[in-house]
Amino acid sequence: MSSYSALDSFLAKWHQRWPEWSLVEPFIAVDQRERCVAWFALLQEFDDILAAQGDTTAQDAKLAWWAQELRSWQGQRSRHPLGRVLDPLRAPWMGLADVLPDLPAARAALSDPGVAQRALQAYAAAVAAVESVVFDAPLQPEAAQAVLVHTLGQRLLRSGQQAVPASIAGNDAGQAVAAWAQQLLKGWGVRVAGPRPRRVLALLARLRLQGLAADKPLTPHQATVLLKAWWAARGR
């Protein structure tokens, strides 16, 4: 497989997970669209590793490989197809590589909501720092919190009750998932801090999490998605 076809495969994998992105992508600057999807595709790899259950040996080995790969990006010596798009950007890749070991520990840090959030704070801060360079935007103080809530929400969407803190979990799995989703949504407005691509993706993720919070599938009308995405794209 050529590097171009391999890159297309990773980008397509992300688009398959987020088909609604095609609806809101016009809000993203044309010259940032490829790097935007490449960056979010990379974060999706980490989201999948965080959501792993059972024997996670393979996922943890993959995470260690990614830490080495990101260190090579610091010197623009990428091996992964996503690096063809991302490693020319002079982002703090080393900082992100250094916090990847937090993800396996964060899987077990679910005694209560506070512990679950603290376990991912350093990771979220590193992601926000890279993101500000990738999207050529000032690093806002609240940007890491937006990444943190998004990451916890993605884990809940992938893992269900397995991602619910023990202090919330009860006998009814659906109610526990809904309760944790409701907590995550508190303070997660239509607009969040961070670059425009982050704000737009956060809006899509928020709409999905609202379905879990309501304990029923929600399919917003396209016009509603567009209006809210436009509002998110405008900034804070």
Side-chain angles (χ1 to χ4, degrees):
M1 181 181 292
S2 71
S3 61
Y4 286 94
S5 58
L7 174 62
D8 288 342
S9 176
F10 273 93
L11 301 186
K13 177 182 174 183
W14 187 84
H15 276 296
Q16 185 176 19
R17 194 83 61 87
W18 293 92
E20 61 268 54
W21 184 258
S22 61
L23 187 65
V24 301
E25 191 175 49
F27 296 119
I28 308 301
V30 173
D31 62 350
Q32 288 192 350
R33 290 178 186 175
E34 184 182 46
R35 76 174 65 171
C36 177
V37 177
W39 169 241
F40 289 146
L42 175 64
L43 293 184
Q44 181 170 275
E45 293 291 305
F46 302 150
D47 285 340
D48 288 346
I49 291 170
L50 178 62
Q53 301 177 38
D55 183 358
T56 62
T57 302
Q59 289 86 352
D60 293 345
K62 185 177 183 181
L63 189 67
W65 183 91
W66 269 116
Q68 293 180 347
E69 176 69 1
L70 290 177
R71 291 188 174 94
S72 74
W73 288 12
Q74 197 74 42
Q76 296 183 303
R77 298 187 302 274
S78 62
R79 294 169 291 173
H80 195 278
L82 291 175
R84 186 169 66 81
V85 178
L86 296 173
D87 89 350
L89 305 170
R90 308 311 294 158
W93 301 116
M94 289 286 287
L96 181 55
D98 288 345
V99 299
L100 289 186
D102 290 357
L103 296 185
R107 292 194 201 109
L110 286 172
S111 57
D112 62 62
V115 170
Q117 294 190 37
R118 287 191 295 273
L120 288 169
Q121 280 181 338
Y123 169 76
V127 168
V130 171
E131 215 158 72
S132 69
V133 176
V134 170
F135 299 124
D136 191 23
L139 179 57
Q140 297 174 288
E142 305 93 343
Q145 182 64 25
V147 174
L148 175 61
V149 177
H150 181 102
T151 303
L152 289 169
Q154 288 308 294
R155 184 180 180 188
L156 183 61
L157 284 161
R158 284 167 169 74
S159 302
Q161 190 178 23
Q162 296 299 318
V164 178
S167 62
I168 297 175
N171 294 328
D172 187 288
Q175 290 180 1
V177 168
W180 183 218
Q182 289 162 12
Q183 286 204 27
L184 290 175
L185 285 168
K186 288 179 180 178
W188 190 1
V190 174
R191 289 176 177 170
V192 301
R196 177 177 289 188
R198 165 61 59 185
R199 300 196 304 268
V200 173
L201 181 63
L203 179 277
L204 299 181
R206 184 176 181 275
L207 290 174
R208 291 185 177 190
L209 201 60
Q210 285 177 328
L212 288 185
D215 198 17
K216 63 181 179 181
L218 296 177
T219 306
H221 192 277
Q222 285 190 355
T224 300
V225 175
L226 280 171
L227 179 60
K228 291 188 175 185
W230 168 78
W231 185 249
R234 289 187 61 193
R236 303 186 72 184

